Amino acid sequence: MEQAASWRRHSKVTTIINSLQNFYNSKSKYLLALHSCSESFGIAIKDIENPDKIIKSEVFNIGHSLSNKVFSCIDKILPIKFWKQINRIAVAKGPGSFTSTRLTLSVARTIAQQIGCSLDSMSSYHLMAPRLYQYLDQNLIFNPFWIKDIMPRRGIIAGKYQLIKIHNESNFHEFNEIISPQLITNEKEINPSIKASNNVEKDIISLINFSEYRQNLKVNSHWGKTLPLYPTSPVDNKKQTNLKPNISNLNR
């Protein structure tokens, strides 16, 4: 039995290695995901023509050097000569670093415009939801909850989420973003709540699974509608206190 299990593991590893060796070819159609809402820059790609559906990803801890290295990082994961074969792009739109988020969205919009592909976006809190909802009591996992973070000298940023469905076939957790991340003044209004935590390595995988989910639904997302999410104004630091729902329909 142990020999059989060992053979299966070895067979699986061999399959992955062989698939990665053939990852780049002229017939591939790629999904590309970009996440730079923290000081780490996450990139993931998936070849939707590859039956093994292997995700290739990497997180670059480059801090404030993103503006100088953004293209070289993408080129390392997906060489520029294959960019015309990108079928869809997904990008994390914030909240996060103002400069990094704006830069990555600009790059994603430019590539999508030039090659004519769809561009999806998701808030960084929305991407955290599949990881963080598991901290809720088991009998509350389908109830709405908040993800919050405290910003020094600015206040609390929070967004409201609810688990809708787990798509096992695409490994995608479908969450409704009831209220997008915004600045609030009364913490009592956000209960139950879970503290936001960055994990770009896991969230970039969630982002590309979201992209594949949209691809399977044949959703056309125009690059011009993708804008960064800034809960506070970078100019005058005005607070947003409107807690009216902002329903995001993933099937739209």
Side-chain angles (χ1 to χ4, degrees):
M1 184 177 294
E2 290 182 1
Q3 288 181 338
S6 176
W7 179 85
R8 285 194 296 270
R9 287 193 297 269
H10 177 73
S11 177
K12 184 177 181 180
V13 170
T14 301
T15 299
I16 293 174
I17 291 174
N18 290 338
S19 297
L20 286 173
Q21 288 174 344
N22 300 316
F23 199 85
Y24 305 111
N25 63 74
S26 60
K27 296 182 180 180
S28 295
K29 293 182 179 180
Y30 298 106
L31 303 177
L32 171 67
L34 307 172
H35 189 322
S36 66
C37 295
S38 67
E39 291 191 356
S40 298
F41 181 32
I43 306 172
I45 58 173
K46 179 185 285 191
D47 179 4
I48 57 178
E49 296 296 308
N50 188 326
D52 294 317
K53 293 292 193 300
I54 294 173
I55 297 173
K56 184 177 182 181
S57 65
E58 189 166 344
V59 175
F60 300 87
N61 297 311
I62 54 179
H64 299 293
S65 302
L66 182 63
S67 59
N68 297 322
K69 299 179 179 179
V70 57
F71 288 107
S72 61
C73 289
I74 299 175
D75 180 62
K76 182 178 179 180
I77 301 298
L78 183 63
I80 292 177
K81 66 180 181 179
F82 295 106
W83 287 13
K84 290 183 178 180
Q85 295 168 225
I86 296 173
N87 210 61
R88 194 176 199 97
I89 303 173
V91 63
K93 62 181 180 179
S97 167
F98 171 74
T99 302
S100 297
T101 302
R102 181 182 58 179
L103 175 61
T104 304
L105 257 77
S106 296
V107 170
R109 282 166 56 100
T110 300
I111 297 174
Q113 180 188 19
Q114 291 299 311
I115 65 178
C117 74
S118 286
L119 174 59
D120 300 311
S121 64
M122 232 182 183
S123 76
S124 56
Y125 284 20
H126 203 162
L127 290 169
M128 293 178 191
R131 291 190 288 109
L132 301 183
Y133 88 99
Q134 300 176 55
Y135 291 104
L136 296 169
D137 290 339
Q138 189 64 29
N139 60 331
L140 299 177
I141 61 173
F142 285 97
N143 289 1
F145 67 98
W146 293 83
I147 296 176
K148 68 176 183 180
D149 198 10
I150 299 175
M151 305 294 290
R153 301 181 302 278
R154 289 178 179 256
I156 298 171
I157 294 178
K160 192 174 185 180
Y161 303 89
Q162 184 174 16
L163 176 63
I164 302 300
K165 184 178 179 181
I166 298 176
H167 300 267
N168 293 317
E169 69 282 359
S170 59
N171 197 27
F172 173 65
H173 291 61
E174 184 178 349
F175 278 82
N176 190 20
E177 188 171 71
I178 301 170
I179 298 176
S180 62
Q182 58 186 257
L183 262 172
I184 64 170
T185 57
N186 186 359
E187 189 173 4
K188 293 181 180 179
E189 295 178 339
I190 52 172
N191 185 54
S193 63
I194 304 172
K195 189 178 186 308
S197 65
N198 287 310
N199 189 327
V200 179
E201 185 175 6
K202 290 184 178 181
D203 292 346
I204 193 65
I205 301 302
S206 293
L207 184 56
I208 203 159
N209 285 335
F210 165 66
S211 181
E212 184 177 26
Y213 173 71
R214 300 272 285 187
Q215 173 71 21
N216 291 338
L217 290 177
K218 302 186 185 321
V219 178
N220 182 24
S221 302
H222 192 269
W223 62 268
K225 296 182 179 180
T226 300
L227 299 172
L229 175 63
Y230 300 133
T232 62
S233 167
V235 178
D236 56 13
N237 192 27
K238 289 182 180 179
K239 293 186 176 182
Q240 300 177 8
T241 56
N242 183 7
L243 290 180
K244 292 182 180 180
N246 178 18
I247 305 297
S248 65
N249 183 356
L250 293 180
N251 296 324
R252 184 169 55 192

